[in-house]
Amino acid sequence: MSTLESTISILEVLPEADLLEVQQFAKRLFMLRSDKRPFPLKSREEIYKDLEISRQQVAEEKCQEMGQALTEIREKYGL
């Protein structure tokens, strides 16, 4: 049995309260290693604000189809 399989089998039998503790521990562990992330973590509110801005830009047609954007980048940088 792999480490992942062992971990999953343990998690499957834990009560919800214990699962929440495991989740909080994993979040703290992730935060300790945050210096290795290229971007800072965002709060739920920050993500919602970004989505709001994005939707507004789409409504105002301030966006571009991804295929077209990639074509322009390839042409610009000779990729």
Side-chain angles (χ1 to χ4, degrees), residues 48-63:
Y48 287 150
K49 182 65 178 168
D50 288 349
L51 285 170
E52 179 184 329
I53 292 167
S54 175
R55 290 177 178 143
Q56 183 177 358
Q57 289 172 337
V58 169
E60 296 171 359
E61 298 182 6
K62 294 181 179 178
C63 59

Side-chain angles (χ1 to χ4, degrees), residues 66-79:
M66 189 58 167
Q68 179 62 33
L70 290 173
T71 299
E72 290 177 14
I73 290 169
R74 286 186 188 110
E75 289 173 2
K76 182 176 180 178
Y77 295 102
L79 302 175

Side-chain angles (χ1 to χ4, degrees), residues 3 8 21-22 27 32 37 39 42-43 46-50 54 58-59 61 64 67 74:
T3 304
I8 290 172
E21 285 186 49
V22 170
K27 284 181 182 180
L32 290 174
R37 288 178 286 124
F39 304 104
K42 290 189 172 196
S43 68
E46 290 171 315
I47 293 170
Y48 287 150
K49 182 65 178 168
D50 288 349
S54 175
V58 169
E61 298 182 6
Q64 185 176 24
R74 286 186 188 110

